[in-house]
Amino acid sequence: MTLSTTATPASPKPRPGRFDSDLPQFWIAVAILVAMGIIPAVLGSSYWEHSFQLMNIYIAVTILQNFLFVDAGQKSFGQGVLLGLGAYGFAVASGINDLPVFVGVLTGIVVAVAGGLLFALPALRVQGFHLGFVTLSAAVVFPQLLLQMDSVTQGLNGISMPTPGLSKPLVLGISPLSILCTLLPIAALAFHYGIRNSRLGRQMRTAAESPEAARSLGINPGHMSSLAFILAALGTGICGVLFVPAVSFVTPQSFLMDVSFIFFFSVVVGGRGQLLGPILGILAVFTIPNMLLVDLAEYKPLIYGFITLIVVIVFPDGIVGTIEEARRKRNQTGGGERAFHLSALTNWLNSLPDHAASETREPIISLKGATKRFGSVVAVDRVDLELRPGEIHGLVGANGSGKTSLLNVLNGFSRMNEGSYTFDKRDVSRASAADIARHGLGRTFQNPRIFPAFSVWNNVRVGLDARQSELPKELRAVLDSMRDDYASGLPTLLSHGQRRLLEVVRVALKDSRVVLFDEPAAGLSAEEREEFSSLIWLLSRKLGTTIVLVEHDLDLVWSIADRITVLETGKRIAQGSPEDLAKDPAVQHLFVGGDHAHA
Amino acid sequence: MLNEMFANFDMIMTILLRGAAVGSLFAIIAMSFNVVHNATGILNFAQGTIFMLGAFGAYLLANRVGFAVWIPMLILVSIVIGLFTAAQGWLTLKPLRSGVEQNSWLISTMSVSVIIAAILTLNFGVFGNMVRGPVPRFEILGVRTDGAFLLAIGSMFAWYFALRWFLRRTFSGLAISALSQDFDAARAAGLNVGRLQLLAFGISGVIAGSVGFMVAPMISVSPDAGLRYVLNGFVAAVVGGIGNNTGTLIGGPLVGITAALTAFYIGGAYQDLASLLLLVAILMFLPQGLFGRAAARKV
């Protein structure tokens, strides 16, 4: 089989705008924070100095909430609790019990992380609104406990802990406290920017956007959300420690539920996921209402409740997000054929020598007596399946015959009720999907999992992130050119066919020894089908990847598969080469009305 | 000795009865969660403050009145709150239609909850108000009991059977049940999905509002208390398996009795902590709840 080179050649094209504005937003945010830290001190306004110190701490907490909310997909209504735990841990240790400051600081952080575990542990098992209720519940309980445990916390009286040393001007009238309070949100921002552009950050985001896709890439979504909660708790605990010198005393009043609401609502109003969002969010939700309603404090919840409701309904992207969306629309270029093509990759694959034929080698996958039931329905009924390394194996059958259920057993989404499953000499009958994926299995989905939050290149890159083996040098060069082409590409401009091909590239870069394709040709044009089958042919013949192809397009299957298994009502009714099966009377009815029988 | 035992028996009965009564309120909140959840897939965080709106309705319109006023006011308040909740549902579902934005409901229902509580606080202050209802106190097993306790337990069963009848015997109810099974299929079958979802919101408002009105005498009628009911109602729903109304009949009283026992043996301030720990434990070890079922995964 040869490759039709329909792809466009590389030609100079107008440089499109950045995919996102994270970096400019980062620097604007730093400039604002530095200005807020320095100007009041230089002007000698101690009122504004104190106000900005507290505001900066709130901004830092909100930045961490922004990370948790968007990058890790976790909605928490309880970040104020973690702030309070950090503050009380420090104040109780050093303010009441006179422990050295560094012990107190450590206590505050440890206590906050322990509180974070209360959120992180359920996150291992459940997602979404469940954690919303857990965190909200914690926000309700926390002030009650502070009052109740007055032998430790001094109850309603709170703990007074002045730190005059920190407030003495150091340089230009700026106190060490102001410097710390300025560095804190900058550090939080640097953390957010850094983790977002790291492998871990991309994996967290993948898990947040599509837990299934994450598991098929070897990521355990529970671990990701749990880790995100702990990281956010750690940072919020540090904010809590700094809260003590900034305010000089802590009382349960400082950590009522409203505080948690302010952090959550600020993320939404500022613009979910935007680096600059928390600063403008805190300004809109906390600072400005505070200034305007000094004498009408009881109106504050009403104001921020309404601001948030209006933002969610009228411009859900928030302040910064709305501007960013407009910029993206203006800079939107590309699309069409250029948005994603494969020539670089297929050229490289074509240049490789053929992978050694593998007829005689042991099966890489061996499934015996696999049975999967859903209630009284037997979706997969005692199926045996052996796959040889490098073969293209078609899986066909009518709708409801159990093809997708079998795929889900193979990649670990469903656990078999009975049967054994060996993958590359290892028993994976009870293994999780993420485990099996790390062992070398990849899959695609009926609806391609393309993440709009990532550029086209980063969408490809999550496959690379999941790769376990060394990258060949020639492939590295191919990827460099892909990065140059797609680093600013908008995935929303990709056609359905391009999304499919992108998913194939992603799973190929993951270096999977077995790849499962779930109805890959559905919705592809004739040309795209051609491109797709060339690609999987190359994967099988050049890289020795085993391919399992679930597909309704029997022409495609018969033209490319080495062997085919036919399923009916969950049972395997036939297996063999395309030529043999075409003559098999048991399979004839599949072709009724078609002209495939002579294939 | 024997006297002491009887005293203890009295006390235990009081705790159990109080726990079951408060718990049946949690069960009712859980049922009103379920109606909306089954029709829309979302949970209304404002359900607790909506319940509190019903209680404030009783405080304003039916405090210390006889049945002749109480019953018409109950009907009026239930209808008004039902309409209000349907309007809230319309607002909540609006951004979800775009298809891109699927998380906004969490934020919008939460902000509505904050707004309702803020408005109530501005008008009535933060402290609890007392309401006297028309149902007299009576003795059960030698324990003097507030009539509202029995109303709470009674309305749990009444709403349970009413919902069961509605969901199984009426066209709209069957259509809402169909939504919970398969959204797209229901739409393809020509059901007016949007209208049914608003109906579900309306019904959940009528349930929460009417019960809030009836049990106002047994609760502290304060703006902040709504959160307590929404949280415990959620725990009850999780214990029983989200979407499962029969489960709430166990989940609600279980949460209520746990809270009552905690209040008695450890201290009233620890009730909510007990519910939180119960929630975390259930999510860790039985995330499907006691009666939830494992669903076939869709990929």
Side-chain angles (χ1 to χ4, degrees):
Chain A
M1 181 170 286
T2 54
L3 179 78
S4 57
T5 40
T6 53
T8 45
S11 58
K13 53 179 175 181
R15 191 86 202 133
R18 294 165 175 279
F19 173 71
D20 58 44
S21 58
D22 280 357
L23 200 56
Q25 281 191 40
F26 175 80
W27 288 115
I28 295 171
V30 169
I32 295 175
L33 290 169
V34 170
M36 289 198 312
I38 293 176
I39 293 171
V42 173
L43 295 179
S45 160
S46 69
Y47 170 77
W48 283 112
E49 196 179 350
H50 280 298
S51 300
F52 280 142
Q53 282 168 357
L54 181 62
M55 187 177 150
N56 274 342
I57 291 172
Y58 276 14
I59 288 172
V61 177
T62 308
I63 289 168
L64 293 164
Q65 172 123 41
N66 196 19
F67 151 73
L68 189 62
F69 193 146
V70 176
D71 295 62
Q74 302 302 313
K75 282 79 187 167
S76 167
F77 295 117
Q79 295 309 102
V81 175
L82 304 177
L83 182 74
L85 283 173
Y88 263 93
F90 179 39
V92 168
S94 296
I96 300 180
N97 295 310
D98 292 321
L99 293 171
V101 168
F102 82 92
V103 177
V105 169
L106 211 61
T107 310
I109 295 172
V110 168
V111 172
V113 171
L117 279 177
L118 188 72
F119 304 161
L121 288 177
L124 288 171
R125 295 296 299 270
V126 293
Q127 308 275 322
F129 56 71
H130 290 95
L131 292 165
F133 282 96
V134 172
T135 51
L136 180 63
S137 191
V140 171
V141 169
F142 182 63
Q144 296 173 1
L145 285 186
L146 288 179
L147 285 175
Q148 204 59 32
M149 301 167 67
D150 51 3
S151 59
V152 182
T153 62
Q154 301 184 3
L156 199 53
N157 295 329
I159 304 165
S160 173
M161 196 178 163
T163 46
L166 275 177
S167 304
K168 283 205 190 89
L170 195 69
V171 279
L172 295 168
I174 305 167
S175 67
L177 187 59
S178 278
I179 294 175
L180 284 175
C181 287
T182 304
L183 290 179
L184 184 72
I186 293 176
L189 208 56
F191 161 79
H192 192 183
Y193 181 79
I195 197 162
R196 179 175 279 184
N197 289 289
S198 72
R199 176 171 177 261
L200 178 66
R202 284 189 295 273
Q203 292 189 327
M204 274 183 182
R205 190 77 183 250
T206 306
E209 306 258 332
S210 168
E212 270 94 19
R215 298 193 309 154
S216 78
L217 290 165
I219 304 164
N220 184 327
H223 290 176
M224 287 297 146
S225 41
S226 213
L227 179 62
F229 267 115
I230 291 172
L231 287 173
L234 181 76
T236 308
I238 297 173
C239 299
V241 168
L242 209 54
F243 181 93
V244 179
V247 181
S248 297
F249 63 91
V250 290
T251 73
Q253 280 342 84
S254 311
F255 307 105
L256 297 180
M257 217 167 33
D258 313 43
V259 180
S260 295
F261 284 158
I262 285 174
F263 300 142
F264 184 87
F265 288 163
S266 294
V267 168
V268 176
V269 171
R272 279 171 268 173
Q274 305 298 330
L275 289 182
L276 197 49
I279 296 180
L280 297 184
I282 283 286
L283 269 172
V285 171
F286 171 71
T287 314
I288 294 176
N290 250 8
M291 277 162 49
L292 299 183
L293 302 172
V294 181
D295 300 320
L296 299 165
E298 65 272 27
Y299 280 91
K300 277 189 276 178
L302 191 63
I303 301 291
Y304 62 68
F306 264 116
I307 293 178
T308 309
L309 187 62
I310 290 166
V311 164
V312 170
I313 287 164
V314 182
F315 52 118
D317 293 318
I319 302 170
V320 183
T322 305
I323 299 168
E324 166 68 5
E325 205 46 45
R327 181 198 69 87
R328 217 182 251 195
K329 282 224 175 73
R330 203 178 54 242
N331 287 343
Q332 191 162 293
T333 53
E337 284 194 357
R338 237 183 220 154
F340 191 72
H341 59 84
L342 292 174
S343 50
L345 188 71
T346 42
N347 288 343
W348 170 68
L349 285 170
N350 268 318
S351 74
L352 294 177
D354 280 355
H355 201 266
S358 50
E359 292 287 327
T360 53
R361 274 175 30 203
E362 267 189 71
I364 183 158
I365 275 185
S366 163
L367 201 60
K368 288 204 178 69
T371 301
K372 176 68 198 172
R373 292 186 211 97
F374 294 105
S376 57
V377 180
V378 187
V380 179
D381 194 355
R382 285 163 292 164
V383 169
D384 294 332
L385 187 67
E386 285 200 341
L387 301 176
R388 302 178 194 131
E391 80 167 315
I392 299 179
H393 196 104
L395 208 54
V396 298
N399 282 325
S401 60
K403 304 183 300 287
T404 297
S405 295
L406 184 56
L407 279 199
N408 287 344
V409 163
L410 283 175
N411 94 310
F413 278 170
S414 305
R415 208 156 273 182
M416 294 180 293
N417 299 99
E418 285 153 36
S420 73
Y421 176 12
T422 316
F423 185 164
D424 198 17
K425 297 181 204 98
R426 209 182 77 167
D427 179 31
V428 290
S429 310
R430 312 293 303 164
S432 71
D435 242 357
I436 294 175
R438 278 194 296 270
H439 205 55
L441 188 125
R443 76 168 284 168
T444 65
F445 297 87
Q446 281 181 22
N447 302 316
R449 300 298 155 97
I450 301 301
F451 310 117
F454 289 158
S455 66
V456 172
W457 163 242
N458 273 348
N459 264 291
V460 172
R461 201 174 177 190
V462 289
L464 208 55
D465 289 333
R467 190 182 178 95
Q468 316 249 337
S469 61
E470 191 73 24
L471 207 57
K473 212 171 76 201
E474 302 76 21
L475 183 55
R476 197 179 298 264
V478 171
L479 291 175
D480 283 345
S481 85
M482 284 180 88
R483 186 190 58 217
D484 294 344
D485 287 351
Y486 305 131
S488 55
L490 288 172
T492 41
L493 295 179
L494 298 181
S495 71
H496 178 73
Q498 287 169 326
R499 288 164 187 240
R500 281 231 174 278
L501 291 175
L502 193 159
E503 219 185 18
V504 179
V505 174
R506 179 193 288 164
V507 82
L509 290 177
K510 177 183 166 288
D511 195 21
S512 314
R513 280 169 297 161
V514 178
V515 180
L516 318 176
F517 289 102
D518 196 359
E519 299 192 15
L524 296 195
S525 67
E527 202 174 288
E528 287 166 339
R529 269 165 207 243
E530 184 69 19
E531 213 174 339
F532 170 78
S533 41
S534 311
L535 184 59
I536 60 170
W537 176 265
L538 286 170
L539 292 179
S540 149
R541 293 308 187 260
K542 301 290 187 176
L543 297 178
T545 311
T546 308
I547 308 283
V548 179
L549 191 59
V550 165
E551 185 49 62
H552 280 295
D553 179 351
L554 298 180
D555 277 331
L556 181 90
V557 177
W558 253 259
S559 69
I560 196 172
D562 298 304
R563 289 194 306 153
I564 293 167
T565 295
V566 185
L567 291 177
E568 198 175 283
T569 59
K571 294 192 187 67
R572 187 182 111 180
I573 57 161
Q575 189 177 57
S577 68
E579 297 76 25
D580 294 344
L581 275 188
K583 298 183 201 105
D584 188 335
V587 190
Q588 286 301 319
H589 67 279
L590 280 177
F591 305 113
V592 169
D595 56 351
H596 312 271
H598 53 77
Chain B
M1 184 70 189
L2 209 62
N3 266 344
E4 202 173 291
M5 254 181 72
F6 272 114
N8 265 333
F9 176 78
D10 267 13
M11 210 153 56
I12 299 280
M13 279 311 294
T14 313
I15 293 168
L16 289 183
L17 192 65
R18 176 169 274 278
V22 174
S24 52
L25 302 183
F26 301 156
I28 288 160
I29 302 277
M31 282 182 230
S32 67
F33 267 143
N34 285 343
V35 176
V36 171
H37 182 74
N38 287 345
T40 62
I42 73 180
L43 287 174
N44 187 357
F45 274 80
Q47 209 70 49
T49 44
I50 288 170
F51 170 80
M52 226 12 103
L53 278 181
F56 271 99
Y59 172 70
L60 279 181
L61 302 172
N63 203 355
R64 297 169 193 279
V65 297
F67 279 107
V69 180
W70 193 78
I71 289 176
M73 284 302 160
L74 167 64
I75 294 168
L76 175 74
V77 167
S78 305
I79 291 173
V80 170
I81 293 178
L83 291 175
F84 170 82
T85 313
Q88 187 222 349
W90 178 78
L91 212 58
T92 306
L93 293 169
K94 212 167 124 65
L96 299 182
R97 302 237 164 82
S98 69
V100 194
E101 180 53 70
Q102 291 305 324
N103 276 319
S104 64
W105 60 265
L106 208 134
I107 306 158
S108 52
T109 61
M110 185 55 120
S111 50
V112 167
S113 174
V114 168
I115 291 168
I116 298 174
I119 291 174
L120 289 176
T121 309
L122 286 174
N123 286 299
F124 301 102
V126 292
F127 298 108
N129 300 284
M130 294 298 289
V131 175
R132 176 74 60 80
V135 185
R137 285 170 167 266
F138 58 94
E139 291 212 353
I140 181 170
L141 294 166
V143 182
R144 266 187 83 72
T145 311
D146 199 325
F149 278 35
L150 222 63
L151 261 184
I153 298 174
S155 52
M156 169 174 80
F157 286 110
W159 274 121
Y160 172 75
F161 286 110
L163 273 176
R164 196 180 153 96
W165 171 82
F166 171 73
L167 292 172
R168 294 187 181 182
R169 292 277 178 271
T170 67
F171 179 76
S172 300
L174 283 168
I176 287 177
S177 305
L179 284 185
S180 69
Q181 302 280 327
D182 191 334
F183 208 77
D184 295 328
R187 195 186 296 271
L191 294 177
N192 185 338
V193 173
R195 207 180 54 89
L196 288 169
Q197 290 179 328
L198 293 193
L199 179 65
F201 265 96
I203 291 170
S204 80
V206 170
I207 295 174
S210 65
V211 178
F213 184 97
M214 286 191 280
V215 304
M218 64 174 273
I219 61 177
S220 160
V221 181
S222 75
D224 281 345
L227 267 179
R228 205 182 150 228
Y229 288 94
V230 80
L231 290 171
N232 284 293
F234 178 73
V235 183
V238 170
V239 170
I242 288 190
N244 183 336
N245 279 342
T246 311
T248 64
L249 297 181
I250 306 292
L254 191 76
V255 176
I257 290 173
T258 307
L261 288 175
T262 311
F264 182 71
Y265 287 108
I266 307 174
Y270 293 97
Q271 291 179 69
D272 293 341
L273 179 67
S275 298
L276 170 60
L277 295 178
L278 180 66
L279 174 62
V280 169
I282 287 273
L283 293 180
M284 289 292 296
F285 301 108
L286 264 179
Q288 298 291 336
L290 294 175
F291 306 99
R293 59 207 147 117
R297 184 183 299 282
K298 287 179 191 159
V299 174

